[in-house]
Amino acid sequence: MDYKAAFRDAVEQVRGEGRYRVFADLKRHRGNFPFATWTAPGGETRDVIVWCSNDYLGQGQNPVIIEAIHKAVDEAGAGSGGTRNISGTTHYHVELEVELADLHGKEAALLFTSGYVSNEATLATLQKVLPGLITFSDALNHASMIAGIRAGGGPRKIWRHNDLEHLEQLLADAPVDAPKLVAFESVYSMDGDMSDIAATTALAKRYGAMTYLDEVHAVGLYGKRGGGVSERDGVADQVDIIEGTLGKAFGVMGGYVTGDADLIDAIRSYAGGFIFTTSLPPALTAGALASIRWLKQHDEVRVVHQERAASLKRRMKVAGLPVMPSVSHIVPLLVGDPVHTKLISDMLLTDHGIYVQPINYPTVPRGTERLRFTPTPFHTDAMMDELVSALEKLWTRCNIQRMGGVAA
């Protein structure tokens, strides 16, 4: 077996499909978000504006968070020293879990090293604790949710994206006495659409199912205190398990789940992804704690964030660019071809100092390749005008189908 050739051929297949991913070598500028220094493959550098960061509110540059991180390093050092069960539970972890439970109005919370791990570990573990659990998963759920549902090994049903009639059909066909779980997201990060949380939870309850809501792309961004779409809509108390991340709107790193104290205790006791991994460093938990507390008190940042997203969508529509329908802060621009998507991304970076990563299969279905923009409160009108002007030129240059312009 020529192992090296096999690996090389696998990569060449990705290259041949035009979806080979190249990392952008960036160094963010402290205190000057969204600017960063890009180091090109040849070693030359230039300053660029980042348009695709998941640091949606620029919290990774908030002096309050940075000060909290520095203070924790000074007080406790670098690492946590172990797993949560073996010396890795610091007071910072305890405080953060209390704050997260409060954020979502739940009895308890459990920290994980990432949002991916929190989804994968929890959804798999629920099937261990509840033998025969049938998981009903939205068709566009994140890869981490899919991985967790599959890892659990139990029966699963996929319902058409946001199609509650289809979900009800599947629930009605399931055995009445079987344990059930409906797993879905609040904000779907590639299309920018949202689920109807109130209707979904009501439907689940009608059929005796628990609900699992991924609020990864909504925590910090929606609700008066940043509790997500479920807080904004006043239905957080109707959701059994709310999962989120510390690595996006909160600007740090980590994942978590919140819920009933007994449920969280069971996850803590059975989830391998929690038990057998070193806990988050004190500095990160302290930074996340400061970020959550700060955002609970600063709803005005969320108001500006929504205005900035709406402004960019409006500018793109006026320019006749194919911005996809989105009711959230996500601004997806449809290209529909992996080669063209990368070409535009490369030209924006090298010719205009604008960085936005191409989004290709398997993140999105083939034929829906896109550029995904995430404007923040720190992206100015001038930056938006420069971006749209560059896109107009490149759309013509790359000979990609444009939709007709619409009035503002």
Side-chain angles (χ1 to χ4, degrees):
M1 176 70 185
D2 188 343
Y3 295 105
K4 187 172 183 179
F7 296 135
R8 187 168 54 243
D9 290 345
V11 173
E12 285 305 314
Q13 180 180 340
V14 175
R15 288 184 188 275
E17 295 174 3
R19 58 185 183 90
Y20 180 75
R21 302 184 185 214
V22 178
F23 295 147
D25 183 347
L26 301 171
K27 183 185 291 184
R28 302 208 297 174
H29 298 174
R30 176 181 172 181
N32 197 23
F33 186 84
F35 287 93
T37 297
W38 170 58
T39 300
E44 64 273 18
T45 63
R46 70 170 296 177
D47 286 348
V48 300
I49 296 175
V50 178
W51 275 99
C52 56
S53 175
N54 283 341
D55 188 0
Y56 292 130
L57 301 177
Q59 283 290 93
Q61 302 295 320
N62 187 328
V64 173
I65 285 82
I66 293 173
E67 181 182 353
I69 290 172
H70 278 302
K71 186 171 183 289
V73 170
D74 290 340
E75 290 180 349
S80 67
T83 67
R84 288 291 299 276
N85 287 321
I86 306 176
S87 82
T89 296
T90 71
H91 190 59
Y92 304 98
H93 294 81
V94 174
E95 285 187 300
L96 180 53
E97 287 175 339
V98 170
E99 200 73 31
L100 287 166
D102 173 77
L103 177 67
H104 295 293
K106 301 300 183 186
E107 291 180 352
L110 188 67
L111 278 172
F112 291 84
T113 51
S114 74
Y116 189 104
V117 176
S118 59
N119 268 334
E120 184 179 42
T122 302
L123 287 165
T125 301
L126 287 170
Q127 296 175 70
K128 296 179 184 177
V129 177
L130 300 169
L133 177 69
I134 304 172
T135 305
F136 298 82
S137 176
D138 185 285
L140 293 189
N141 276 343
H142 190 264
S144 59
M145 299 176 74
I146 296 169
I149 293 167
R150 287 176 175 171
R156 56 185 184 270
K157 304 291 182 181
I158 312 302
W159 46 291
R160 290 188 294 270
H161 177 54
N162 277 347
D163 187 339
L164 295 185
E165 288 186 5
H166 187 218
L167 173 60
E168 182 163 18
Q169 291 173 9
L170 295 175
L171 286 167
D173 289 341
V176 175
D177 58 347
K180 306 174 189 69
L181 177 74
V182 174
F184 63 113
E185 301 182 38
S186 58
V187 176
Y188 290 85
S189 64
M190 291 299 122
D191 291 345
D193 60 335
M194 294 184 180
S195 60
D196 186 337
I197 301 173
T200 306
T201 54
L203 179 60
K205 289 183 186 301
R206 195 180 313 154
Y207 288 90
M210 296 178 61
T211 46
Y212 182 102
L213 178 65
D214 178 316
E215 287 260 40
V216 159
H217 290 275
V219 290
L221 304 174
Y222 297 88
K224 286 294 183 181
R225 301 196 312 155
V229 178
S230 58
E231 183 203 351
R232 184 199 69 178
D233 294 350
V235 293
D237 62 325
Q238 300 301 305
V239 183
D240 294 298
I241 306 169
I242 296 178
E243 185 266 351
T245 183
L246 306 172
K248 293 182 170 60
F250 295 126
V252 193
M253 179 184 174
Y256 64 88
V257 291
T258 65
D260 172 87
D262 290 333
L263 184 152
I264 296 300
D265 201 20
I267 301 300
R268 181 187 71 86
S269 301
Y270 284 88
F274 172 83
I275 296 170
F276 298 107
T277 190
T278 300
S279 66
L280 288 168
L284 293 185
T285 52
L289 179 63
S291 183
I292 294 165
R293 287 175 173 170
W294 192 89
L295 282 174
K296 282 180 177 178
Q297 302 297 321
H298 290 274
D299 187 49
E300 74 279 0
V301 177
R302 285 180 279 277
V303 174
V304 174
H305 181 233
Q306 290 295 316
E307 183 279 325
R308 291 286 77 194
S311 181
L312 181 59
K313 293 174 194 175
R314 183 172 60 252
R315 283 171 159 84
M316 287 182 171
K317 288 179 182 177
V318 168
L321 294 165
V323 59
M324 299 170 66
S326 167
V327 296
S328 70
H329 57 285
I330 306 296
V331 184
L333 196 61
L334 181 65
V335 180
D337 178 87
V339 176
H340 280 164
T341 306
K342 188 175 187 310
L343 181 62
I344 295 173
S345 173
D346 289 346
M347 288 180 174
L348 284 171
L349 185 59
T350 58
D351 299 346
H352 300 277
I354 293 169
Y355 172 56
V356 57
Q357 187 71 11
I359 305 295
N360 296 324
Y361 176 84
T363 306
V364 295
R366 298 182 195 273
T368 68
E369 292 82 4
R370 68 200 65 177
L371 299 172
R372 174 183 175 273
F373 296 89
T374 54
T376 73
F378 300 93
H379 286 88
T380 65
D381 286 346
M383 291 177 186
M384 290 187 184
D385 291 340
E386 179 185 359
L387 168 65
V388 171
S389 176
L391 284 168
E392 285 188 284
K393 294 173 185 175
L394 292 177
W395 236 252
T396 302
R397 182 174 175 181
C398 295
N399 194 28
I400 295 175
Q401 181 71 36
R402 296 176 63 184
M403 70 180 190
V406 295

